Amino acid sequence: MEAVVSTQSTGMFCSSALHYKLDQNWLLETLCVGLRDEMDYKIISRRHVLPLCVSQLSCSHLDRNVAKSIRSLMLKIFSIKSLRVKKELADIGITESLTNCLGISTL
């Protein structure tokens, strides 16, 4: 039986918990481990995770560990071998933003 994380009840960047940075790191690492293919990307895409991550990367008070987790997740997304994913990234303007933040070459 696989573990399931409900994205309905988990607010990645709006946690009111005392340890919200730990919560963010845990969620980002879980997403990174679970992201394997286009189907996984679709779930992340529907929950608007990518725009939230990109906006967090531009914050000056971003925790170093959270930034590292976001970068790992984004690199994992870039590694998906799907034209649909690459087109969606380009369509929503994330490709250019990510390459600037991550220092990687364009798709």
Side-chain angles (χ1 to χ4, degrees):
M1 182 175 193
E2 291 185 36
V4 177
V5 176
S6 171
T7 56
Q8 298 279 353
S9 63
T10 317
M12 185 185 318
F13 298 110
C14 54
S15 174
S16 61
L18 202 61
H19 303 289
Y20 74 97
K21 288 180 184 179
L22 292 174
D23 293 344
Q24 284 180 358
N25 268 332
W26 180 82
L27 284 168
L28 288 165
E29 288 173 13
T30 301
L31 287 172
C32 194
V33 168
L35 184 67
R36 294 177 302 256
D37 56 23
E38 186 177 341
M39 294 301 290
D40 297 329
Y41 169 79
K42 278 183 169 179
I43 295 168
I44 289 175
S45 175
R46 277 191 300 234
R47 301 304 301 168
H48 308 289
V49 171
L50 300 177
L52 288 170
C53 288
V54 171
S55 68
Q56 285 289 306
L57 281 175
S58 63
C59 291
S60 60
H61 62 280
L62 180 63
D63 179 70
R64 206 175 276 203
N65 291 327
V66 172
K68 182 179 176 185
S69 296
I70 290 173
R71 286 186 179 96
S72 295
L73 178 63
M74 295 303 165
L75 288 171
K76 187 99 178 230
I77 290 169
F78 274 120
S79 72
I80 296 174
K81 305 286 188 233
S82 164
L83 291 176
R84 178 181 288 169
V85 170
K86 293 181 187 332
K87 183 183 180 319
E88 275 188 36
L89 288 172
D91 287 348
I92 58 178
I94 288 186
T95 301
E96 190 172 327
S97 300
L98 284 178
T99 56
N100 291 338
C101 290
L102 298 172
I104 59 177
S105 61
T106 56
L107 299 174

XYZ file of all heavy atoms in Angstrom:
835
model
N 0.843 -1.171 0.000
C 0.000 0.000 0.000
C 0.892 1.239 0.000
O 1.818 1.353 0.796
C -0.884 -0.020 1.231
C -1.827 1.124 1.313
S -2.906 0.868 2.741
C -4.111 2.073 2.397
N 0.596 2.187 -0.886
C 1.399 3.398 -0.988
C 0.863 4.481 -0.060
O -0.337 4.583 0.162
C 1.374 3.922 -2.421
C 2.114 3.028 -3.392
C 2.177 3.642 -4.766
O 2.298 4.873 -4.866
O 2.092 2.881 -5.730
N 1.775 5.292 0.455
C 1.367 6.418 1.292
C 0.776 7.500 0.398
O 1.237 7.730 -0.705
C 2.564 6.971 2.047
N -0.262 8.144 0.883
C -0.932 9.187 0.112
C -0.940 10.465 0.928
O -1.279 10.468 2.102
C -2.388 8.772 -0.218
C -3.101 9.884 -0.945
C -2.409 7.494 -1.026
N -0.540 11.568 0.285
C -0.584 12.874 0.923
C -1.723 13.651 0.288
O -1.761 13.818 -0.920
C 0.734 13.654 0.724
C 0.628 15.043 1.304
C 1.883 12.903 1.352
N -2.658 14.091 1.090
C -3.776 14.859 0.568
C -3.352 16.294 0.337
O -3.017 17.014 1.267
C -4.946 14.837 1.550
O -5.934 15.745 1.146
N -3.374 16.704 -0.944
C -3.023 18.091 -1.247
C -4.173 19.019 -0.911
O -4.006 20.228 -0.860
C -2.657 18.245 -2.733
O -3.746 17.768 -3.524
C -1.397 17.480 -3.056
N -5.351 18.474 -0.666
C -6.510 19.284 -0.292
C -6.340 19.865 1.111
O -6.712 20.989 1.370
C -7.788 18.427 -0.321
C -8.110 17.859 -1.676
C -8.801 18.872 -2.566
O -9.158 19.948 -2.135
N -8.992 18.503 -3.810
N -5.766 19.082 2.010
C -5.692 19.506 3.401
C -4.316 20.015 3.811
O -4.102 20.342 4.959
C -6.066 18.330 4.309
O -5.140 17.289 4.149
N -3.391 20.089 2.874
C -2.031 20.478 3.207
C -1.690 21.786 2.524
O -1.580 21.832 1.315
C -1.027 19.399 2.754
O -1.551 18.131 3.071
C 0.296 19.573 3.430
N -1.524 22.859 3.285
C -1.166 24.142 2.714
C 0.335 24.321 2.726
O 0.929 24.549 3.777
N 0.965 24.228 1.558
C 2.425 24.231 1.510
C 3.026 25.537 1.998
O 4.000 25.551 2.716
C 2.906 23.945 0.095
C 4.407 23.810 0.041
S 5.095 23.607 -1.580
C 4.019 22.496 -2.364
N 2.461 26.641 1.597
C 3.074 27.917 1.929
C 2.170 28.786 2.806
O 2.397 29.966 2.936
C 3.460 28.662 0.652
C 4.476 27.907 -0.145
C 4.147 27.329 -1.338
C 5.765 27.753 0.332
C 5.085 26.630 -2.065
C 6.707 27.052 -0.381
C 6.370 26.490 -1.585
N 1.147 28.186 3.375
C 0.268 28.979 4.237
C 0.013 28.269 5.557
O -1.031 28.384 6.140
C -1.036 29.299 3.524
S -1.889 27.866 2.877
N 0.979 27.532 6.011
C 0.857 26.809 7.266
C 0.899 27.781 8.435
O 1.697 28.704 8.476
C 1.999 25.805 7.402
O 1.963 25.203 8.658
N 0.022 27.578 9.389
C 0.038 28.414 10.582
C 0.737 27.698 11.733
O 0.775 28.198 12.842
C -1.390 28.783 10.984
O -2.114 27.610 11.269
N 1.286 26.533 11.457
C 1.969 25.759 12.484
C 3.239 26.465 12.933
O 3.839 27.239 12.189
C 2.314 24.371 11.950
N 3.638 26.193 14.148
C 4.835 26.786 14.703
C 6.075 26.394 13.906
O 6.995 27.182 13.738
C 4.980 26.348 16.166
C 5.822 27.222 17.063
C 5.229 28.622 17.146
C 5.917 26.613 18.438
N 6.077 25.214 13.377
C 7.234 24.705 12.642
C 6.953 24.669 11.144
O 7.177 23.671 10.476
C 7.601 23.314 13.145
C 7.890 23.282 14.606
N 9.024 23.839 15.147
C 7.179 22.788 15.640
C 8.999 23.680 16.462
N 7.891 23.051 16.785
N 6.492 25.777 10.599
C 6.099 25.791 9.194
C 7.265 25.528 8.248
O 7.080 24.949 7.184
C 5.395 27.094 8.834
C 6.300 28.286 8.723
C 6.782 28.694 7.482
C 6.675 29.004 9.844
C 7.617 29.785 7.370
C 7.510 30.092 9.735
C 7.965 30.486 8.505
O 8.791 31.557 8.404
N 8.475 25.906 8.605
C 9.625 25.637 7.732
C 9.884 24.141 7.624
O 10.184 23.633 6.548
C 10.873 26.363 8.232
C 10.816 27.844 8.028
C 12.070 28.513 8.530
C 11.937 30.016 8.389
N 13.098 30.724 8.885
N 9.753 23.449 8.720
C 9.897 21.991 8.695
C 8.788 21.370 7.858
O 9.027 20.432 7.094
C 9.869 21.422 10.112
C 11.054 21.772 10.997
C 10.826 21.267 12.422
C 12.333 21.205 10.429
N 7.566 21.906 7.998
C 6.441 21.414 7.203
C 6.696 21.626 5.714
O 6.479 20.727 4.900
C 5.144 22.125 7.593
C 4.678 21.805 8.996
O 5.173 20.818 9.580
O 3.821 22.550 9.513
N 7.171 22.805 5.355
C 7.464 23.100 3.954
C 8.533 22.158 3.410
O 8.387 21.606 2.328
C 7.945 24.545 3.790
C 6.865 25.567 3.859
C 7.419 26.968 3.677
O 8.628 27.168 3.535
N 6.540 27.944 3.681
N 9.602 21.993 4.169
C 10.673 21.094 3.733
C 10.174 19.673 3.545
O 10.492 19.019 2.553
C 11.832 21.091 4.734
C 12.887 22.091 4.387
O 13.081 22.434 3.237
N 13.570 22.574 5.401
N 9.391 19.203 4.488
C 8.863 17.841 4.401
C 7.996 17.694 3.155
O 8.133 16.725 2.401
C 8.067 17.496 5.653
C 7.504 16.106 5.591
C 8.151 14.946 5.892
C 6.200 15.746 5.159
N 7.309 13.872 5.678
C 6.109 14.342 5.232
C 5.090 16.471 4.730
C 4.957 13.650 4.888
C 3.942 15.784 4.380
C 3.875 14.384 4.464
N 7.099 18.655 2.909
C 6.233 18.587 1.735
C 7.026 18.634 0.433
O 6.776 17.859 -0.492
C 5.222 19.735 1.757
C 4.062 19.572 2.716
C 3.300 20.880 2.868
C 3.144 18.472 2.240
N 7.995 19.542 0.365
C 8.794 19.662 -0.852
C 9.616 18.407 -1.116
O 9.715 17.945 -2.253
C 9.690 20.898 -0.769
C 8.956 22.232 -0.893
C 9.842 23.370 -0.425
C 8.475 22.454 -2.311
N 10.202 17.853 -0.074
C 10.983 16.627 -0.241
C 10.094 15.453 -0.639
O 10.479 14.631 -1.471
C 11.756 16.313 1.040
C 12.913 17.274 1.261
C 13.584 17.104 2.603
O 13.333 16.087 3.286
O 14.366 17.986 2.976
N 8.890 15.393 -0.077
C 7.945 14.343 -0.441
C 7.528 14.477 -1.901
O 7.468 13.491 -2.629
C 6.705 14.393 0.476
O 7.134 14.234 1.833
C 5.713 13.307 0.124
N 7.263 15.706 -2.336
C 6.923 15.938 -3.739
C 8.069 15.542 -4.650
O 7.858 14.926 -5.698
C 6.564 17.406 -3.967
C 5.224 17.873 -3.420
C 5.103 19.386 -3.552
C 4.077 17.176 -4.130
N 9.272 15.882 -4.261
C 10.450 15.573 -5.076
C 10.650 14.065 -5.214
O 10.921 13.565 -6.297
C 11.688 16.231 -4.474
S 13.091 16.256 -5.586
N 10.486 13.347 -4.127
C 10.646 11.886 -4.157
C 9.532 11.250 -4.986
O 9.768 10.304 -5.732
C 10.656 11.312 -2.717
C 10.521 9.810 -2.721
C 11.915 11.730 -1.990
N 8.324 11.791 -4.876
C 7.182 11.195 -5.563
C 7.053 11.576 -7.020
O 6.307 10.949 -7.771
N 7.777 12.585 -7.462
C 7.670 13.061 -8.838
C 8.513 12.191 -9.760
O 9.736 12.205 -9.682
C 8.128 14.517 -8.922
C 7.985 15.196 -10.270
C 6.514 15.350 -10.626
C 8.652 16.546 -10.241
N 7.836 11.407 -10.604
C 8.560 10.485 -11.479
C 8.256 10.685 -12.956
O 9.108 10.443 -13.787
C 8.243 9.051 -11.086
C 8.743 8.663 -9.719
C 8.319 7.250 -9.384
N 6.863 7.115 -9.433
C 6.079 7.046 -8.365
N 6.597 7.070 -7.176
N 4.777 6.932 -8.490
N 7.032 11.073 -13.269
C 6.656 11.126 -14.680
C 5.592 12.196 -14.923
O 5.269 12.980 -14.035
C 6.161 9.752 -15.150
C 5.007 9.224 -14.317
O 4.294 10.023 -13.676
O 4.808 8.001 -14.293
N 5.072 12.186 -16.128
C 4.097 13.199 -16.534
C 2.827 13.164 -15.679
O 2.255 14.207 -15.378
C 3.740 12.987 -18.009
C 2.845 14.048 -18.572
C 2.562 13.850 -20.050
O 3.301 13.127 -20.726
O 1.573 14.435 -20.510
N 2.394 11.994 -15.284
C 1.192 11.884 -14.452
C 1.403 12.559 -13.094
O 0.513 13.243 -12.592
C 0.795 10.417 -14.265
C 0.357 9.736 -15.550
S -1.069 10.549 -16.318
C -2.342 10.129 -15.167
N 2.567 12.371 -12.511
C 2.878 13.027 -11.242
C 2.928 14.541 -11.422
O 2.456 15.296 -10.583
C 4.210 12.524 -10.688
C 4.191 11.043 -10.369
O 3.122 10.517 -10.007
O 5.249 10.415 -10.488
N 3.516 14.961 -12.536
C 3.590 16.394 -12.827
C 2.200 17.008 -12.948
O 1.972 18.123 -12.479
C 4.385 16.648 -14.115
C 4.258 18.072 -14.572
C 5.001 19.080 -13.965
C 3.360 18.428 -15.565
C 4.859 20.400 -14.355
C 3.209 19.739 -15.954
C 3.960 20.716 -15.351
O 3.800 22.018 -15.725
N 1.264 16.278 -13.550
C -0.100 16.790 -13.710
C -0.729 17.136 -12.358
O -1.418 18.139 -12.221
C -0.983 15.767 -14.429
C -0.849 15.766 -15.901
C -1.835 14.757 -16.462
C -1.958 14.871 -17.948
N -2.897 13.884 -18.491
N -0.479 16.296 -11.374
C -1.032 16.539 -10.036
C -0.433 17.814 -9.449
O -1.152 18.658 -8.909
C -0.765 15.333 -9.109
C -1.531 14.112 -9.620
C -1.142 15.662 -7.668
C -1.133 12.814 -8.975
N 0.867 17.955 -9.566
C 1.532 19.161 -9.062
C 1.041 20.393 -9.806
O 0.800 21.443 -9.209
C 3.064 19.012 -9.185
C 3.558 18.000 -8.166
C 3.773 20.342 -8.995
C 5.021 17.697 -8.276
N 0.850 20.249 -11.090
C 0.394 21.360 -11.923
C -1.010 21.816 -11.519
O -1.280 23.016 -11.425
C 0.417 20.936 -13.390
O -0.113 21.933 -14.208
N -1.895 20.871 -11.281
C -3.275 21.216 -10.895
C -3.338 21.966 -9.571
O -4.237 22.764 -9.349
C -4.128 19.957 -10.791
C -4.677 19.485 -12.094
C -5.710 18.424 -11.838
N -5.093 17.310 -11.132
C -5.139 16.056 -11.534
N -5.777 15.734 -12.618
N -4.545 15.112 -10.841
N -2.397 21.690 -8.684
C -2.399 22.325 -7.358
C -1.579 23.619 -7.334
O -1.341 24.185 -6.282
C -1.862 21.352 -6.305
C -2.640 20.065 -6.172
C -4.095 20.254 -5.883
N -4.276 20.997 -4.657
C -5.432 21.512 -4.265
N -6.487 21.356 -5.000
N -5.517 22.182 -3.153
N -1.117 24.078 -8.503
C -0.381 25.342 -8.647
C 0.885 25.394 -7.796
O 1.249 26.433 -7.258
C -1.281 26.534 -8.319
C -2.567 26.516 -9.068
N -2.640 26.764 -10.422
C -3.835 26.247 -8.663
C -3.890 26.666 -10.812
N -4.639 26.341 -9.782
N 1.543 24.268 -7.689
C 2.763 24.180 -6.892
C 3.900 24.978 -7.534
O 4.652 25.670 -6.849
C 3.177 22.708 -6.676
C 4.549 22.602 -6.048
C 2.135 22.001 -5.827
N 4.011 24.916 -8.855
C 5.132 25.574 -9.530
C 5.141 27.089 -9.336
O 6.178 27.648 -8.958
C 5.130 25.223 -11.016
C 5.259 23.732 -11.314
C 5.163 23.490 -12.805
C 6.537 23.198 -10.759
N 4.034 27.786 -9.578
C 4.060 29.237 -9.335
C 4.367 29.588 -7.874
O 5.058 30.570 -7.602
C 2.662 29.700 -9.738
C 2.175 28.675 -10.693
C 2.782 27.384 -10.224
N 3.877 28.775 -6.947
C 4.168 29.018 -5.535
C 5.660 28.873 -5.254
O 6.256 29.676 -4.527
C 3.383 28.056 -4.643
C 1.882 28.299 -4.543
C 1.212 27.139 -3.838
C 1.614 29.606 -3.819
N 6.262 27.847 -5.837
C 7.696 27.621 -5.633
C 8.529 28.751 -6.225
O 9.466 29.234 -5.591
C 8.113 26.289 -6.241
S 7.523 24.865 -5.322
N 8.185 29.168 -7.438
C 8.941 30.247 -8.082
C 8.811 31.537 -7.287
O 9.792 32.258 -7.097
C 8.478 30.447 -9.545
C 9.096 31.687 -10.150
C 8.849 29.234 -10.369
N 7.623 31.820 -6.783
C 7.458 33.041 -5.988
C 8.253 32.965 -4.688
O 8.793 33.959 -4.224
C 5.978 33.320 -5.701
O 5.448 32.351 -4.830
N 8.357 31.781 -4.109
C 9.153 31.622 -2.889
C 10.635 31.835 -3.154
O 11.344 32.387 -2.318
C 8.931 30.219 -2.297
C 7.607 30.048 -1.613
C 7.547 30.819 -0.322
O 8.403 30.673 0.539
N 6.535 31.639 -0.167
N 11.117 31.389 -4.327
C 12.534 31.550 -4.649
C 12.953 33.015 -4.726
O 14.117 33.337 -4.514
C 12.864 30.862 -5.978
C 13.025 29.359 -5.924
C 13.228 28.802 -7.324
C 14.179 28.964 -5.025
N 12.018 33.899 -5.026
C 12.357 35.315 -5.161
C 12.269 36.079 -3.840
O 12.583 37.267 -3.804
C 11.465 35.979 -6.215
O 10.122 35.936 -5.797
N 11.861 35.416 -2.765
C 11.743 36.079 -1.461
C 13.122 36.212 -0.806
O 13.896 35.258 -0.768
C 10.834 35.288 -0.534
S 9.123 35.289 -1.027
N 13.390 37.378 -0.263
C 14.698 37.620 0.356
C 14.857 36.890 1.696
O 15.970 36.619 2.109
C 14.912 39.116 0.548
O 13.903 39.630 1.390
N 13.765 36.578 2.365
C 13.843 35.916 3.677
C 13.617 34.410 3.591
O 13.340 33.765 4.585
C 12.830 36.543 4.631
C 11.407 36.380 4.185
N 10.847 37.179 3.231
C 10.463 35.493 4.549
C 9.602 36.800 3.035
N 9.349 35.777 3.822
N 13.802 33.837 2.417
C 13.593 32.412 2.214
C 14.637 31.593 2.976
O 15.832 31.876 2.916
C 13.669 32.084 0.721
C 13.469 30.630 0.316
C 12.066 30.164 0.691
C 13.699 30.475 -1.166
N 14.161 30.607 3.683
C 15.032 29.690 4.410
C 15.909 28.924 3.427
O 15.453 28.479 2.379
C 14.163 28.722 5.220
C 14.980 27.723 5.993
O 15.638 28.139 6.963
O 14.970 26.537 5.615
N 17.174 28.759 3.754
C 18.134 28.099 2.869
C 17.741 26.657 2.542
O 17.888 26.200 1.412
C 19.509 28.119 3.533
C 20.640 28.069 2.572
C 21.941 28.222 3.295
N 22.197 29.655 3.487
C 23.390 30.154 3.680
N 24.435 29.366 3.738
N 23.555 31.446 3.822
N 17.233 25.936 3.527
C 16.829 24.546 3.301
C 15.602 24.448 2.401
O 15.509 23.551 1.564
C 16.566 23.830 4.626
C 17.832 23.625 5.410
O 18.906 23.426 4.851
N 17.723 23.703 6.721
N 14.661 25.366 2.580
C 13.477 25.392 1.722
C 13.890 25.712 0.290
O 13.415 25.086 -0.663
C 12.421 26.398 2.242
C 11.283 26.571 1.253
C 11.879 25.967 3.595
N 14.792 26.667 0.121
C 15.281 27.025 -1.215
C 15.942 25.820 -1.884
O 15.718 25.555 -3.072
C 16.261 28.187 -1.127
N 16.720 25.081 -1.127
C 17.382 23.889 -1.672
C 16.346 22.848 -2.096
O 16.470 22.235 -3.170
C 18.328 23.305 -0.630
C 19.100 22.115 -1.100
C 20.027 21.606 -0.026
C 20.725 20.338 -0.486
N 21.541 19.751 0.560
N 15.313 22.660 -1.288
C 14.258 21.702 -1.621
C 13.485 22.134 -2.860
O 13.136 21.309 -3.709
C 13.293 21.537 -0.443
O 13.946 20.976 0.657
N 13.211 23.436 -2.976
C 12.508 23.952 -4.154
C 13.356 23.731 -5.395
O 12.865 23.283 -6.433
C 12.156 25.437 -3.984
C 11.054 25.598 -2.927
C 11.693 26.040 -5.313
C 10.751 27.043 -2.563
N 14.617 24.032 -5.296
C 15.511 23.831 -6.452
C 15.575 22.356 -6.856
O 15.560 22.019 -8.038
C 16.898 24.374 -6.148
C 16.937 25.880 -6.163
C 18.348 26.423 -5.992
N 18.333 27.861 -6.033
C 18.288 28.646 -4.968
N 18.280 28.111 -3.759
N 18.278 29.958 -5.091
N 15.625 21.467 -5.877
C 15.637 20.027 -6.181
C 14.356 19.608 -6.891
O 14.397 18.843 -7.863
C 15.785 19.208 -4.896
O 17.022 19.443 -4.298
N 13.228 20.111 -6.421
C 11.953 19.793 -7.053
C 11.910 20.315 -8.482
O 11.498 19.607 -9.407
C 10.794 20.378 -6.244
C 9.398 20.162 -6.833
C 9.061 18.675 -6.902
C 8.362 20.917 -6.019
N 12.369 21.534 -8.689
C 12.350 22.112 -10.022
C 13.289 21.369 -10.977
O 12.941 21.137 -12.130
C 12.727 23.590 -9.970
C 11.730 24.433 -9.225
S 10.097 24.269 -9.949
C 9.111 24.944 -8.671
N 14.445 20.992 -10.500
C 15.361 20.218 -11.338
C 14.754 18.863 -11.694
O 14.923 18.366 -12.808
C 16.713 20.052 -10.645
C 17.554 21.328 -10.586
C 18.767 21.118 -9.697
C 17.968 21.773 -11.973
N 14.027 18.283 -10.747
C 13.349 17.012 -11.012
C 12.280 17.196 -12.084
O 12.126 16.356 -12.975
C 12.742 16.492 -9.707
C 12.154 15.132 -9.780
C 13.111 14.100 -9.231
C 12.500 12.740 -9.273
N 12.574 12.025 -8.037
N 11.556 18.311 -12.032
C 10.543 18.600 -13.050
C 11.205 18.750 -14.413
O 10.720 18.217 -15.414
C 9.734 19.860 -12.679
C 8.834 19.558 -11.478
C 8.900 20.342 -13.865
C 8.186 20.776 -10.860
N 12.328 19.473 -14.461
C 13.038 19.641 -15.727
C 13.536 18.311 -16.282
O 13.745 18.183 -17.487
C 14.222 20.595 -15.565
C 13.851 22.032 -15.723
C 14.061 22.910 -14.681
C 13.308 22.509 -16.899
C 13.731 24.248 -14.812
C 12.969 23.839 -17.047
C 13.182 24.717 -15.998
N 13.753 17.328 -15.433
C 14.279 16.050 -15.905
C 13.214 15.150 -16.518
O 13.542 14.129 -17.118
C 14.983 15.316 -14.762
O 14.031 14.824 -13.839
N 11.944 15.511 -16.383
C 10.869 14.703 -16.958
C 10.949 14.780 -18.477
O 10.955 15.866 -19.052
C 9.486 15.165 -16.459
C 9.369 14.944 -14.944
C 8.370 14.426 -17.196
C 8.105 15.506 -14.343
N 11.017 13.636 -19.105
C 11.151 13.565 -20.570
C 9.768 13.555 -21.215
O 9.288 12.533 -21.680
C 11.911 12.308 -20.978
C 13.246 12.155 -20.322
C 14.261 13.113 -20.918
C 15.635 12.819 -20.395
N 16.323 13.911 -19.839
N 9.117 14.707 -21.216
C 7.783 14.817 -21.801
C 7.651 16.155 -22.506
O 7.886 17.208 -21.898
C 6.723 14.695 -20.710
O 5.480 15.145 -21.177
N 7.274 16.100 -23.766
C 7.077 17.347 -24.506
C 5.921 18.159 -23.917
O 5.963 19.379 -23.897
C 6.828 17.057 -25.984
C 8.024 16.506 -26.740
C 7.628 16.170 -28.170
C 9.165 17.504 -26.734
N 4.898 17.469 -23.423
C 3.757 18.163 -22.831
C 4.187 18.960 -21.598
O 3.791 20.104 -21.418
C 2.664 17.181 -22.457
C 1.469 17.862 -21.784
C 0.403 16.896 -21.406
N -0.252 16.455 -22.629
C -1.099 15.445 -22.665
N -1.369 14.759 -21.583
N -1.688 15.100 -23.794
N 5.007 18.363 -20.758
C 5.484 19.064 -19.557
C 6.340 20.262 -19.961
O 6.160 21.368 -19.439
C 6.283 18.105 -18.640
C 6.974 18.876 -17.520
C 5.369 17.039 -18.070
N 7.240 20.067 -20.894
C 8.110 21.164 -21.333
C 7.295 22.292 -21.959
O 7.568 23.464 -21.722
C 9.162 20.638 -22.294
C 10.140 19.694 -21.591
C 11.199 19.195 -22.510
C 12.084 18.134 -21.920
N 12.316 18.070 -20.521
N 6.253 21.945 -22.718
C 5.392 22.957 -23.327
C 4.609 23.710 -22.256
O 4.498 24.931 -22.304
C 4.440 22.317 -24.332
C 3.565 23.324 -25.058
C 2.602 22.634 -25.989
C 1.711 23.587 -26.735
N 1.179 24.704 -25.994
N 4.064 22.978 -21.273
C 3.328 23.634 -20.188
C 4.226 24.589 -19.408
O 3.804 25.688 -19.045
C 2.723 22.602 -19.236
C 1.404 22.075 -19.682
C 0.762 21.215 -18.608
O 0.895 21.520 -17.401
O 0.123 20.223 -18.995
N 5.439 24.168 -19.122
C 6.377 25.036 -18.410
C 6.623 26.313 -19.209
O 6.601 27.411 -18.655
C 7.695 24.315 -18.156
C 7.671 23.214 -17.105
C 8.990 22.473 -17.100
C 7.336 23.760 -15.744
N 6.830 26.165 -20.500
C 7.067 27.331 -21.354
C 5.818 28.207 -21.441
O 5.911 29.441 -21.403
C 7.493 26.883 -22.742
N 4.635 27.587 -21.534
C 3.382 28.334 -21.656
C 3.089 29.192 -20.424
O 2.537 30.280 -20.543
C 2.201 27.395 -21.901
C 2.185 26.819 -23.302
O 2.953 27.314 -24.156
O 1.406 25.871 -23.537
N 3.443 28.702 -19.263
C 3.164 29.485 -18.053
C 4.344 30.363 -17.643
O 4.317 31.017 -16.616
C 2.696 28.602 -16.870
C 3.716 27.531 -16.525
C 1.371 27.969 -17.163
C 3.328 26.667 -15.348
N 5.372 30.381 -18.467
C 6.487 31.295 -18.247
C 7.451 30.886 -17.163
O 8.255 31.684 -16.707
N 7.402 29.648 -16.758
C 8.279 29.204 -15.675
C 9.672 28.872 -16.188
O 10.645 29.023 -15.475
C 7.644 28.023 -14.919
C 6.489 28.562 -14.102
C 8.645 27.315 -14.052
C 5.835 27.581 -13.205
N 9.807 28.479 -17.409
C 11.104 28.067 -17.936
C 12.154 29.154 -17.754
O 13.211 28.924 -17.190
C 10.983 27.695 -19.428
O 10.046 26.643 -19.531
C 12.304 27.252 -19.979
N 11.844 30.355 -18.176
C 12.816 31.443 -18.078
C 13.091 31.820 -16.620
O 14.235 32.017 -16.227
C 12.302 32.661 -18.842
C 13.350 33.735 -18.997
C 12.879 34.842 -19.921
O 12.136 34.561 -20.863
O 13.270 35.993 -19.666
N 12.060 31.875 -15.815
C 12.233 32.208 -14.397
C 13.110 31.180 -13.700
O 13.997 31.523 -12.926
C 10.883 32.245 -13.683
O 10.046 33.200 -14.258
N 12.845 29.913 -13.976
C 13.604 28.851 -13.320
C 15.052 28.818 -13.757
O 15.933 28.607 -12.948
C 12.961 27.491 -13.599
C 11.710 27.205 -12.823
C 11.157 25.850 -13.218
C 11.955 27.250 -11.349
N 15.281 29.019 -15.034
C 16.666 28.973 -15.482
C 17.466 30.106 -14.855
O 18.636 29.926 -14.530
C 16.759 29.035 -17.030
O 16.085 30.204 -17.482
C 16.154 27.820 -17.660
N 16.833 31.252 -14.641
C 17.523 32.357 -13.981
C 17.815 32.014 -12.519
O 18.908 32.259 -12.019
C 16.703 33.636 -14.057
C 16.623 34.177 -15.461
O 17.454 33.879 -16.298
N 15.602 34.965 -15.728
N 16.840 31.466 -11.826
C 17.001 31.155 -10.401
C 17.926 29.966 -10.155
O 18.662 29.941 -9.177
C 15.646 30.854 -9.763
S 14.582 32.279 -9.613
N 17.855 28.975 -11.038
C 18.605 27.759 -10.822
C 19.959 27.731 -11.497
O 20.788 26.884 -11.214
C 17.787 26.553 -11.310
C 16.468 26.307 -10.594
C 15.695 25.218 -11.290
C 16.690 25.969 -9.149
N 20.168 28.656 -12.425
C 21.439 28.689 -13.136
C 21.655 27.501 -14.042
O 22.756 26.977 -14.142
N 20.569 27.022 -14.689
C 20.688 25.896 -15.615
C 20.302 26.358 -17.016
O 19.672 27.403 -17.186
C 19.816 24.708 -15.174
C 18.347 25.117 -15.085
C 20.290 24.142 -13.871
C 17.428 23.983 -14.738
N 20.673 25.564 -17.998
C 20.398 25.935 -19.388
C 18.917 25.765 -19.705
O 18.212 24.999 -19.067
C 21.235 25.095 -20.344
O 20.900 23.738 -20.178
N 18.444 26.497 -20.703
C 17.039 26.444 -21.077
C 16.708 25.105 -21.724
O 17.571 24.400 -22.212
C 16.671 27.571 -22.064
O 17.533 27.467 -23.180
C 16.799 28.911 -21.402
N 15.412 24.781 -21.719
C 14.953 23.489 -22.259
C 15.009 23.480 -23.759
O 14.837 24.397 -24.427
C 13.523 23.229 -21.794
C 13.348 23.136 -20.284
C 11.873 23.021 -19.951
C 14.082 21.948 -19.730
